[in-house]
Amino acid sequence: MRPCIKSSEIPKELKGDLPVISNTICNERFCTICPYYGGVYQKKRRCMLVSCAWDVASEIFHPSLKRMLSIAKEECSDAEKYYLEKKKRADLLEQMFEKELKEDKKKNEKCYGCPYGAVQPCIGICYAALEGRRRKV
């Protein structure tokens, strides 16, 4: 089995070019559960392969699906451009508020305002916890 796209991802204009499967063959071979089933277009069932995988061991996709490659690459490049624009905007905002973000990060730290942390590195004894214990007793 070769990997293939879902039938819902095939544009309608390309589905019309896919080979038609007769109802008798579809019922005999259970085409609707086949991974190469192309769906229904204009009330006719379609297959993504040139010839049914049931008959022939070689799985050759219909040439009309090759046109989807250029469409997919174009969509991918558009999405990449969109992502790069958004990324550039986010980076610019981070640069604008760099100092504020660092200050906010410091305020959210556990040892913010600790007299021990202001003078020297943290020694693992939390001043707030010690102070809280004294109040409870």
Side-chain angles (χ1 to χ4, degrees):
M1 291 299 227
R2 292 171 53 186
C4 62
I5 61 172
K6 297 177 185 175
S7 64
S8 59
E9 296 174 354
I10 302 172
K12 288 183 180 179
E13 57 270 4
L14 294 180
K15 269 192 184 179
D17 296 339
L18 294 177
V20 177
I21 308 169
S22 68
N23 289 335
T24 56
I25 290 176
C26 189
N27 292 336
E28 286 175 6
R29 300 178 182 177
F30 304 103
C31 291
T32 54
I33 60 171
C34 178
Y36 305 125
Y37 179 65
V40 178
Y41 181 71
Q42 293 179 346
K43 298 182 181 180
K44 295 178 183 174
R45 296 175 178 167
R46 308 290 176 149
C47 183
M48 288 190 246
L49 299 178
V50 174
S51 58
C52 185
W54 187 280
D55 298 330
V56 184
S58 62
E59 299 165 341
I60 301 171
F61 289 108
H62 197 268
S64 64
L65 292 175
K66 197 179 274 187
R67 290 186 286 177
M68 283 186 62
L69 186 62
S70 61
I71 296 168
K73 284 185 178 181
E74 186 178 321
E75 288 174 353
C76 186
S77 66
D78 291 344
E80 189 175 3
K81 289 175 188 174
Y82 179 78
Y83 167 76
L84 291 175
E85 288 174 7
K86 296 295 180 183
K87 176 73 174 149
K88 186 177 178 181
R89 182 176 163 208
D91 290 343
L92 182 64
L93 285 168
E94 281 184 5
Q95 289 175 357
M96 287 171 56
F97 296 104
E98 186 175 0
K99 290 180 183 177
E100 290 87 348
L101 290 172
K102 283 183 181 177
E103 188 64 34
D104 289 344
K105 188 177 178 182
K106 267 187 180 178
K107 285 181 183 177
N108 292 334
E109 285 182 3
K110 185 174 138 181
C111 296
Y112 180 74
C114 177
Y116 298 117
V119 180
Q120 45 189 288
C122 183
I123 57 173
I125 301 172
C126 185
Y127 180 72
L130 289 174
E131 195 175 77
R133 287 186 199 146
R134 289 185 192 150
R135 289 182 189 160
K136 289 180 185 176
V137 176

